[in-house]
Amino acid sequence: MNISNHRRTRDRVITVLTYLAMTFVLLLPFALFIGLAAKSELLFRDNSLGQLLFSSQWRPSSGEFGFKPFIVGSLYVTLIAMLISAPICFLSAIHITQYAPRKAAKIVVTAIDILAGIPSVVYGVWGMVFVVPWLGRIAASLGIQSNGYSILAGGVVLSIMVIPFILNILMEIYRTIPKELTEVSLSLGATRWETIRDVLNRKALPGILAAFGFGFARAFGETMAVLMVVGNVVMIPSGLFDPGYPLPALIANSFGELGSIPEIESALMFAALILLVVVLVFNATLRWLIIRVEKY
Amino acid sequence: MDTQAMDAKMGAGGSAKPFEGEGIIRVDNLNLYAGKTHILKNVNIEIPKNKLTVILGPSGCGKTTLLKCMNRLTDLTPDIKVSGNIYIRDQHTGELPVFGAKTDIVALRRKMGLLSQRPFPLPMNIYNNIAYGLKLRGKYTRAELNDLVEYYLRQVNLWEEVKDRLRSPAVRLSIGQQQRLCLARGLAVNPDIILADEPTSALDPVSSEAIEKQFAALSKDFTLVMVTHVLRQARRIADYVIFMYLGEVIEMRPAQEFFEDPREEQTKKYLSGAFN
């Protein structure tokens, strides 16, 4: 075998290896989906899909599995978190990349990286010790019956957790916009803010959507910190100070029962399936939206 | 030192005006440091009104920085220190200092259109690329805007090519068309001065020629200041030439004199191709 043959073989081997690795990655979501779906099958013997998704009756002992309280709980907590974090991330990304002097920006970026590296259980403990009692006092002063363990507490803790995540992506997006675009807009007589509003934000729009989308997906699945402050009561919250029970918390709190009662095991798999599907559908919708706004 | 060399030194360091007629930009003892690097060194020049002035010099000589000082785009770069000043002459207000605590930067920038090395269309459709500047300039009705957009697109010979797709994204145009769009966009804010930073360096020869022709035509009504390192281009279109080398102005002369009878050693070397 001569050298060129040797090199050609190596080239082929690498091609095959990279292809296999890619296929493996591609198959992962399908494998997850199929596994969860197969395990959830048992649940469908006594419950229709409509019942499972839209019923509020959660009585595992009598075979009633209505997931609505968990789905709604998850959505509320995530929504609150996004409402708090989105404006903060958006404005601070603009300030750090457009206005702040380089040194100040560096300090902030370091702070953000530290925030991003803190384990979620630390946020949870912090939430239990500070956020929950604080919200309890606010509720009391408003005359609302609440000990502070609430979807609002979950939302607040969650928002702090996703801020570094979203902010990092947003800053990267604003940094990749060519400086010349700013120069052009300024040279036409626009102010700094007009330039940001009409030119940079327009250019960054697909990226901004993606950043908030990733943030949503991450917040929706976050388990530990939320579980510790949200109250974990199976009910549909009717106010910010009501407790809730998000899907990931349900799974984390009940996994001890896996393998004992087949129906409950199946229910937990179904809960995981809902999480997976919501995140997938959300990502797909977002991708569609991003392609539509990505024409510039 | 003979008189010729002395004259040239005056052109470089003194305040002698190397042309007849009215000047519009006066650079007065300008020094610029980026961090510790001394980028512009004692620049004293005057730029004639309604002529095409070319700032010529090898890469890294500070010519783009000098251009960006004129409309304060240097503000965007941190760690820049400037001493000296630039004055923009205006019929109504007299001399307006570019670097000054009271300078209205937005008004200053509006006096100058900018054309960069590569075209950077705004992230909008073709129509709005022109309308953006117009809307910053004043209030117009929809019909007035339509007319003005057409007027400026015609001024750069782009109208016929884009009139049927004004609502499509500007980035879909060819790069040559984009650069003409950018020129139209700059003209639309009704500037006195057009600053151009190697505006043809990313273009194919046909598009370059189109831009050069535009420039020649525009120099009747506008003051054009164009940075280039392409000697042939400067020869083709310049009325006046400012030659810079390592942050210093070496020579400033009417184009014909500059090319036929360069005074300074460095100019002669550059013209003979020794630096490139």
Side-chain angles (χ1 to χ4, degrees), chain A residues 102 183-185 187 189 296, chain B residues 68 106 109-110 132 185:
Chain A
R102 222 181 260 174
E183 294 185 350
V184 158
S185 176
S187 75
Y296 298 113
Chain B
K68 285 186 174 175
V106 171
R109 285 181 180 144
R110 204 167 291 176
Y132 179 73
R185 177 183 67 192

Side-chain angles (χ1 to χ4, degrees), chain B residues 31-259:
Chain B
N31 280 278
L32 183 140
Y33 296 83
K36 282 173 187 153
T37 321
H38 198 174
I39 294 188
L40 295 177
K41 299 167 187 166
N42 299 322
V43 174
N44 286 286
I45 48 172
E46 187 142 5
I47 288 173
K49 191 176 175 180
N50 294 359
K51 297 281 178 208
L52 200 163
T53 302
V54 163
I55 305 178
L56 186 70
S59 300
C61 70
K63 49 194 195 309
T64 297
T65 309
L66 176 60
L67 197 75
K68 285 186 174 175
C69 282
M70 293 178 184
N71 66 352
R72 291 269 302 261
L73 285 179
T74 42
D75 289 10
L76 295 177
T77 317
D79 306 327
I80 279 203
K81 272 195 217 77
V82 176
S83 69
N85 215 330
I86 301 175
Y87 298 92
I88 309 294
R89 217 157 281 158
D90 185 294
Q91 295 154 292
H92 311 295
T93 53
E95 277 200 335
L96 182 79
V98 169
F99 296 95
K102 286 182 189 162
T103 304
D104 177 352
I105 301 178
V106 171
L108 172 85
R109 285 181 180 144
R110 204 167 291 176
K111 286 176 176 295
M112 302 178 218
L114 174 76
L115 208 56
S116 39
Q117 285 191 10
R118 280 196 298 131
F120 282 94
L122 297 169
M124 303 167 185
N125 61 38
I126 297 171
Y127 181 95
N128 281 332
N129 257 273
I130 310 290
Y132 179 73
L134 290 168
K135 286 177 192 162
L136 291 171
R137 195 172 113 185
K139 288 226 177 301
Y140 296 97
T141 63
R142 175 71 27 206
E144 286 169 334
L145 271 182
N146 290 344
D147 288 348
L148 283 168
V149 168
E150 178 176 343
Y151 172 79
Y152 287 110
L153 286 174
R154 280 189 190 283
Q155 212 173 0
V156 297
N157 292 327
L158 195 59
W159 174 254
E160 291 300 326
E161 295 161 55
V162 302
K163 64 180 177 187
D164 299 322
R165 47 175 176 149
L166 291 173
R167 301 288 164 187
S168 79
V171 285
R172 295 221 189 114
L173 295 172
S174 78
I175 197 154
Q177 289 172 321
Q178 284 183 24
Q179 192 65 313
R180 277 184 283 152
L181 180 72
C182 291
L183 181 59
R185 177 183 67 192
L187 293 174
V189 289
N190 204 17
D192 301 330
I193 301 162
I194 294 168
L195 307 175
D197 185 5
E198 302 189 15
T200 60
S201 63
L203 304 185
D204 61 275
V206 176
S207 305
S208 296
E209 203 193 326
I211 291 283
E212 281 185 17
K213 275 188 181 157
Q214 288 296 329
F215 271 37
L218 287 169
S219 65
K220 291 181 185 71
D221 304 309
F222 295 89
T223 303
L224 287 107
V225 185
M226 185 175 102
V227 161
T228 188
H229 63 258
V230 185
L231 263 176
R232 276 171 301 161
Q233 185 172 48
R235 258 184 228 274
R236 277 196 298 269
I237 60 174
D239 294 320
Y240 287 88
V241 178
I242 298 168
F243 175 61
M244 287 183 75
Y245 184 61
L246 298 176
E248 280 179 281
V249 172
I250 306 296
E251 203 165 340
M252 159 143 198
R253 310 266 296 284
Q256 205 180 354
E257 289 179 30
F258 177 86
F259 288 114

Side-chain angles (χ1 to χ4, degrees), chain A:
Chain A
M1 201 198 282
N2 62 32
I3 288 172
S4 91
N5 259 340
H6 200 83
R7 287 167 59 194
R8 214 171 293 146
T9 316
R10 197 185 306 173
D11 198 42
R12 260 186 223 131
V13 170
I14 294 291
T15 312
V16 171
L17 276 178
T18 51
Y19 179 79
L20 287 177
M22 179 200 71
T23 315
F24 177 71
V25 173
L26 267 181
L27 287 176
L28 277 178
F30 289 103
L32 267 172
F33 184 86
I34 291 165
L36 291 175
K39 282 281 186 185
S40 320
E41 189 267 331
L42 181 64
L43 214 56
F44 285 89
R45 290 188 192 158
D46 298 323
N47 301 274
S48 72
L49 183 64
Q51 270 174 335
L52 288 173
L53 292 179
F54 302 116
S55 159
S56 304
Q57 302 302 320
W58 180 259
R59 290 195 208 91
S61 48
S62 52
E64 280 184 276
F65 294 94
F67 281 90
K68 191 177 172 190
F70 304 101
I71 298 171
V72 172
S74 271
L75 286 175
Y76 278 175
V77 171
T78 309
L79 206 66
I80 294 168
M82 292 307 287
L83 284 177
I84 298 171
S85 57
I88 295 175
C89 289
F90 184 57
L91 294 174
S92 50
I94 287 174
H95 188 89
I96 296 165
T97 55
Q98 306 299 318
Y99 292 104
R102 222 181 260 174
K103 271 183 193 159
K106 260 188 195 155
I107 294 169
V108 179
V109 169
T110 313
I112 294 166
D113 285 342
I114 291 170
L115 275 180
I118 295 174
S120 65
V121 69
V122 175
Y123 284 99
V125 171
W126 174 81
M128 282 172 79
V129 174
F130 294 101
V131 178
V132 169
W134 177 65
L135 287 177
R137 279 198 295 279
I138 291 179
S141 71
L142 293 170
I144 300 168
Q145 193 82 41
S146 170
N147 56 6
Y149 287 93
S150 56
I151 51 169
L152 183 57
V156 169
V157 171
L158 195 53
S159 71
I160 295 163
M161 288 188 65
V162 291
I163 281 174
F165 182 75
I166 298 176
L167 195 49
N168 263 329
I169 306 178
L170 281 182
M171 288 191 306
E172 201 49 49
I173 283 156
Y174 280 102
R175 281 206 198 96
T176 52
I177 299 177
K179 198 178 87 185
E180 285 85 347
L181 216 50
T182 308
E183 294 185 350
V184 158
S185 176
L186 291 178
S187 75
L188 292 171
T191 61
R192 205 66 197 263
W193 168 241
E194 285 163 343
T195 299
I196 292 167
R197 188 191 60 197
D198 299 331
V199 178
L200 302 189
N201 283 353
R202 184 63 195 79
K203 185 83 180 174
L205 187 58
I208 295 171
L209 285 176
F212 288 134
F214 287 135
F216 174 90
R218 200 181 157 105
F220 197 73
E222 170 52 37
T223 312
M224 205 55 215
V226 179
L227 174 154
M228 290 164 81
V229 298
V230 80
N232 302 325
V233 178
V234 184
M235 62 180 277
I236 293 185
S238 57
L240 288 173
F241 290 96
D242 279 350
Y245 207 158
L247 282 164
L250 169 71
I251 302 171
N253 278 334
S254 342
F255 77 94
E257 293 166 59
L258 279 179
S260 54
I261 308 162
E263 288 240 300
I264 291 187
E265 179 174 323
S266 179
L268 294 184
M269 292 300 160
F270 186 65
L273 188 66
I274 298 174
L275 272 176
L276 185 70
V277 169
V278 168
V279 170
L280 286 181
V281 168
F282 187 79
N283 270 338
T285 316
L286 201 74
R287 209 152 274 279
W288 174 79
L289 201 65
I290 288 171
I291 290 166
R292 301 218 41 181
V293 299
E294 209 169 33
K295 50 186 178 180
Y296 298 113

